[in-house]
Amino acid sequence: MFLRAFRFQRHRNGGNYLETSIALALLLFVGCLHPNRREADSRIYVDRAPSSVERYCAWYGDARDAVLYFGTAAFWSAMRSHGNDPMADLLSEGPVAIGRFDLRREQMLEPLEVGAGGDRSGVWDVLAHPNGRIYFTTFYESAGYTEVSSGRFVRLPKLGTGLNELAVGPDASVLASRYGSAFEREGSGSIVSFDADGVLLAEFPLRAPDGYQVAPKTIAFDPVRAEIWVTTDLLPIVPGNPQRHDAYVLSERGEELRRISEPEIQFVAFAADGTSFRAEIEGRKLWLRVSAAGEDPGGGRRILLDAAFAPALDFVQDIELAADGRAVVSRWSGWVHVVDSPRQVRSTRLPQLEDGGLYYSAVAEGDRICATYCSNVTVVCRDIP
């Protein structure tokens, strides 16, 4: 969900989370990029503008077979140009497309068009599923999937709106977090499970603590313990309540097993063998906790990524797992940590090309990393140090 990128507003004074998030989001669109150039040790690749009316940028991504697929949306620019209205993206029709980037040749590919006609919301998250399809969400409108080989795509309006982040679920199903009801202030969000063809299997509402609404964000499935992990925004509905970010752990049937409030889990991912990776914040320290398949969730080993993390200004946006076992941790600020083992952590910072520019998803291909960047439809690549 877009608010995840601005989780760094803690609102200790009890202020309005959404309004502050929107105000700080304006920083994303100061200045502009020049296409395909070198910046220090990085290469910047900017695709052609999808629309002459709205400014699209690159969102969350996922890689398969050396291709990085990513969302493209005009949410931020539309909001900025219409008095900070988060619904402004719905004022104009626009293309709905999944961006593609060739990681080996380092070049933009033709996007995958998934528009249904009359669309007003772009693509937010994508999932490169093992079945060969690319699933996507648009949040305000319907989710769907596309088949890369044929170009065929299917929209899934029966799943409803408000779907945000995606993950592979039990038996190759798909899980999605429904943040939307909390965003619309109609109640807490839920976890949606659907099969490969988009048929709804189940929906699991999340129970909020007293005085809060719960808005689920990142979702992941533990294939060994058969547990669903969800990070959340707990949005206060009682004045004076602090904002919280508990992680929920559910059974495969949606039963709440436990909640984790400390340390704060900003992102969680599971490898196919059940190895878990969790980005945890304690004070000003950023850790990656790695637990073997089936291991107690509080166990495993912790790898220090940053001893001077600034939780008020930064956030772990994504953890992408390479086929060779490396974990790539990307942060809003452009810091990327490539973790080969507890003793092998290589960190680098991608360039800030405009004030407040926002990095989303970084992936590793050989000795290079490439990351989506929310400022035009942009991918930034550089060597792993």
Side-chain angles (χ1 to χ4, degrees):
M1 172 60 187
F2 71 93
L3 289 183
R4 187 183 75 176
F6 298 96
R7 147 60 194 88
F8 54 85
Q9 285 72 259
R10 290 190 177 272
H11 295 264
R12 292 190 174 93
N13 61 0
N16 185 289
Y17 176 76
L18 179 59
E19 291 177 0
T20 305
S21 297
I22 290 171
L24 292 183
L26 303 185
L27 294 174
L28 293 177
F29 290 94
V30 179
C32 61
L33 293 174
H34 300 287
N36 298 3
R37 74 179 196 275
R38 183 177 296 276
E39 181 82 14
D41 296 325
S42 300
R43 290 286 297 175
I44 295 93
Y45 303 92
V46 183
D47 205 1
R48 66 181 183 273
S51 170
S52 61
V53 178
E54 298 177 291
R55 186 187 182 195
Y56 280 62
C57 75
W59 281 54
Y60 295 108
D62 196 14
R64 186 179 63 211
D65 298 332
V67 174
L68 174 60
Y69 300 90
F70 56 89
T72 63
F75 171 85
W76 293 119
S77 61
M79 184 184 69
R80 176 178 182 253
S81 61
H82 290 85
N84 306 341
D85 180 2
M87 306 292 287
D89 194 17
L90 302 182
L91 298 176
S92 301
E93 291 185 17
V96 184
I98 297 169
R100 294 191 298 166
F101 183 80
D102 188 315
L103 293 166
R104 291 176 182 157
R105 292 185 291 173
E106 289 195 8
Q107 66 181 50
M108 291 285 187
L109 303 174
E110 284 295 313
L112 300 172
E113 301 291 338
V114 293
D119 294 289
R120 297 174 184 272
S121 182
V123 174
W124 286 31
D125 194 19
V126 299
L127 172 66
H129 197 284
N131 67 14
R133 292 172 173 172
I134 308 297
Y135 294 83
F136 63 91
T137 61
T138 67
F139 188 72
Y140 287 118
E141 297 178 320
S142 60
Y145 64 84
T146 182
E147 297 170 345
V148 179
S149 59
S150 66
R152 172 179 174 266
F153 70 87
V154 176
R155 298 291 287 268
L156 304 171
K158 291 184 178 180
L159 296 179
T161 60
L163 298 185
N164 178 21
E165 298 188 53
L166 298 164
V168 177
D171 301 319
S173 64
V174 180
L175 297 172
S177 56
R178 194 189 301 279
Y179 192 107
S181 59
F183 174 73
E184 296 165 1
R185 303 197 180 280
E186 296 175 352
S188 291
S190 61
I191 302 306
V192 175
S193 172
F194 57 95
D195 72 12
D197 293 323
V199 176
L200 180 66
L201 300 174
E203 183 157 6
F204 308 128
L206 298 186
R207 183 170 55 87
D210 291 342
Y212 288 89
Q213 290 175 311
V214 57
K217 302 183 297 184
T218 298
I219 186 168
F221 179 66
D222 181 343
V224 174
R225 300 174 70 95
E227 294 177 342
I228 300 169
W229 287 65
V230 190
T231 68
T232 72
D233 287 327
L234 290 183
L235 307 176
I237 57 177
V238 174
N241 276 3
Q243 189 176 343
R244 292 165 49 181
H245 305 279
D246 296 5
Y248 284 58
V249 183
L250 312 177
S251 74
E252 189 174 341
R253 297 182 299 277
E255 303 156 326
E256 183 180 321
L257 302 176
R258 57 191 177 279
R259 296 182 199 172
I260 303 169
S261 58
E262 294 293 339
E264 179 186 328
I265 299 175
Q266 293 198 339
F267 203 93
V268 59
F270 287 88
D273 68 357
T275 302
S276 68
F277 301 82
R278 301 194 296 279
E280 300 179 349
I281 305 298
E282 284 188 323
R284 290 181 57 83
K285 290 185 177 181
L286 167 62
W287 301 87
L288 182 68
R289 185 187 295 271
V290 182
S291 301
E295 190 173 5
D296 183 275
R301 61 186 185 276
R302 294 210 304 175
I303 302 167
L304 182 64
L305 301 182
D306 192 342
F309 185 80
L313 299 170
D314 207 352
F315 190 85
V316 175
Q317 289 285 77
D318 203 351
I319 300 175
E320 290 289 321
L321 306 179
D324 59 10
R326 290 179 294 177
V328 183
V329 181
S330 54
R331 291 159 51 181
W332 166 82
S333 61
W335 276 106
V336 179
H337 310 279
V338 181
V339 181
D340 298 284
S341 69
R343 295 183 177 84
Q344 183 68 42
V345 179
R346 293 178 286 174
S347 300
T348 188
R349 189 173 190 180
L350 299 173
Q352 290 297 308
L353 304 175
E354 62 178 71
D355 292 343
L358 175 66
Y359 282 94
Y360 272 76
S361 299
V363 298
E365 178 66 27
D367 294 326
R368 300 276 283 176
I369 53 171
C370 294
T372 58
Y373 187 64
C374 187
S375 177
N376 297 325
V377 180
T378 303
V379 174
V380 180
C381 300
R382 69 168 299 166
D383 288 340
I384 301 171

